[in-house]
């Protein structure tokens, strides 16, 4: 077991502790950018919509089938928001009737690649939660 890190005298007198290793270079602008990104993907249903896109959903009905519990109104809203953030691309196919499809942009796919370890972590911890409550 490691002992808690002791603050050095300079930081103790300033009322601040040292940043954790690897976080020293993060300034306030980066913090604000990070906060905006987390709030975008952390908005209710946004991550589920992105994950459905990565799992192959293309048409509105595909998203509805892969995201149980989301309403049509909220799904439409999230798709528009994610399109506005350039994470989802909306494609209009000029057929009769018109077909609208959605797919992740490269930016959306890169975000989901970064979040993939969180998907694995949550699946592992969900299993642990289920096992411990049995």
């Amino acid at each position: 077991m490691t002992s808690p890190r002791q603050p050095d005298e300079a930081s103790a007198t300033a009322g601040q502790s040292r940043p954790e290793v690897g976080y020293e270079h993060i300034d306030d602008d980066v913090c604000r950018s990070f906060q905006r990104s987390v709030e975008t993907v952390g908005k209710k249903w946004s991550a589920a919509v992105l994950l459905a896109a990565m799992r192959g959903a293309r048409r509105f009905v595909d998203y509805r089938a892969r995201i149980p519990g989301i309403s049509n109104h909220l799904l439409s809203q999230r798709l528009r928001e994610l399109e506005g953030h350039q994470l989802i691309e909306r494609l209009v196919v000029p057929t009769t009737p018109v077909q609208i499809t959605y797919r992740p942009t490269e930016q959306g796919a890169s975000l989901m690649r970064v979040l993939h370890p969180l998907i694995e972590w949550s699946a592992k911890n969900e299993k642990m939660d289920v096992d411990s409550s049995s």
Side-chain angles (χ1 to χ4, degrees):
M1 187 164 125
T2 61
S3 61
R5 186 177 63 197
Q6 298 296 319
D8 61 24
E9 288 182 35
S11 64
T13 58
Q16 297 179 3
S17 60
R18 291 179 289 164
E20 294 290 328
V21 174
Y23 294 87
E24 314 84 1
H25 68 283
I26 299 175
D27 63 18
D28 290 344
D29 288 337
V30 172
C31 286
R32 284 187 286 278
S33 175
F34 171 74
Q35 184 65 31
R36 283 189 299 272
S37 297
V38 167
E39 287 176 359
T40 297
V41 76
K43 200 171 204 178
K44 189 170 185 175
W45 299 110
S46 291
V49 172
L50 283 169
L51 185 56
M54 294 300 291
R55 293 178 59 223
R58 293 297 176 257
R59 300 193 61 204
F60 192 87
V61 294
D62 299 333
Y63 285 90
R64 281 297 312 261
R66 292 177 189 247
I67 310 169
I70 192 169
S71 69
N72 288 342
H73 174 76
L74 202 48
L75 176 55
S76 293
Q77 186 177 356
R78 290 299 176 261
L79 285 166
R80 280 192 306 273
E81 290 171 358
L82 293 169
E83 182 185 4
H85 289 293
Q86 299 177 346
L87 299 173
I88 293 279
E89 179 180 23
R90 181 178 187 262
L91 304 163
V92 179
V93 181
T95 58
T96 305
V98 172
Q99 284 187 352
I100 298 173
T101 60
Y102 303 89
R103 66 177 181 205
T105 63
E106 180 51 42
Q107 187 175 351
S110 73
L111 172 62
M112 289 307 293
R113 285 190 293 272
V114 169
L115 292 176
H116 195 264
L118 180 59
I119 294 167
E120 292 174 339
W121 180 89
S122 60
K124 177 184 171 188
N125 284 287
E126 177 74 17
K127 183 180 181 321
M128 288 175 22
D129 289 345
V130 169
D131 290 346
S132 66
S133 64
S134 300

